[in-house]
Amino acid sequence: VQPDRSRGARRRGAVARPGLRRPDRRGRRLVDRPDSHSLGGIDPRLHHGTLNAVFLPAVIRFNAQAESVRKDRRIERLAQAIDLPERNADALAGTIRALNARLGLPADLTAMGVARDRFDCIIDHALADHCHQTNPRPATREDYRALLETSF
């Protein structure tokens, strides 16, 4: 992981995650996380970065099916960049979960105090979020519900 050297990132102490949030040189991304935007907006006590970490395994598996992700071998390239012997979405998602556990992050949304009865509101906000339009794979209301259930 290379540090983001931009002035704003230095102030925030940010670290770049190549291929994840930042667009590649052709403007494409591996993942966008409107769920973390919407949930953090609904409950500001929930940390955006922690939400990203909790959602990331499910989002990686979901977006692995996107044509642009497959065509550009983004999952394989990211797995290679972190020296995974298996270069597929399940291995990458499992590694992210293991890293989250080593860092002491919550394992799921339940551990963060998120209730299922908030799912409809979270989904409404996710569909309205600007990242919804830039995700590599179009997501429906049902897709967002499945991502939330997987992360619950």
Side-chain angles (χ1 to χ4, degrees):
V1 175
Q2 296 296 317
D4 181 342
R5 303 215 188 282
S6 70
R7 194 171 90 196
R10 286 193 306 266
R11 282 195 310 262
R12 295 185 313 272
V15 175
R17 295 179 315 250
L20 292 179
R21 187 171 187 282
R22 289 224 165 87
D24 67 12
R25 65 179 170 256
R26 289 172 282 202
R28 293 173 294 201
R29 300 171 184 211
L30 172 60
V31 294
D32 267 319
R33 312 100 19 240
D35 284 346
S36 61
H37 287 171
S38 66
L39 187 50
I42 292 167
D43 188 345
R45 295 172 300 155
L46 299 173
H47 186 269
H48 179 76
T50 304
L51 288 166
N52 284 340
V54 168
F55 282 123
L56 190 55
V59 172
I60 285 172
R61 285 185 179 109
F62 177 78
N63 282 336
Q65 303 305 313
E67 181 182 340
S68 64
V69 172
R70 287 192 323 258
K71 178 182 170 193
D72 293 339
R73 301 180 52 239
R74 292 185 213 163
I75 299 291
E76 292 87 355
R77 289 180 15 229
L78 185 55
Q80 179 182 10
I82 60 174
D83 291 326
L84 290 183
E86 294 182 58
R87 298 189 177 153
N88 59 58
D90 287 335
L92 183 57
T95 299
I96 298 295
R97 279 192 184 276
L99 176 60
N100 289 349
R102 282 198 324 259
L103 293 172
L105 296 175
D108 52 36
L109 295 175
T110 306
M112 296 183 74
V114 177
R116 269 196 175 95
D117 64 3
R118 303 300 308 258
F119 281 11
D120 286 331
C121 185
I122 296 165
I123 293 166
D124 290 342
H125 283 84
L127 288 166
D129 188 275
H130 66 280
C131 284
H132 170 71
Q133 300 301 320
T134 62
N135 197 59
R137 179 178 169 193
T140 65
R141 175 173 287 283
E142 293 75 27
D143 293 328
Y144 281 120
R145 185 168 304 282
L147 287 167
L148 286 164
E149 286 292 344
T150 301
S151 301
F152 197 75

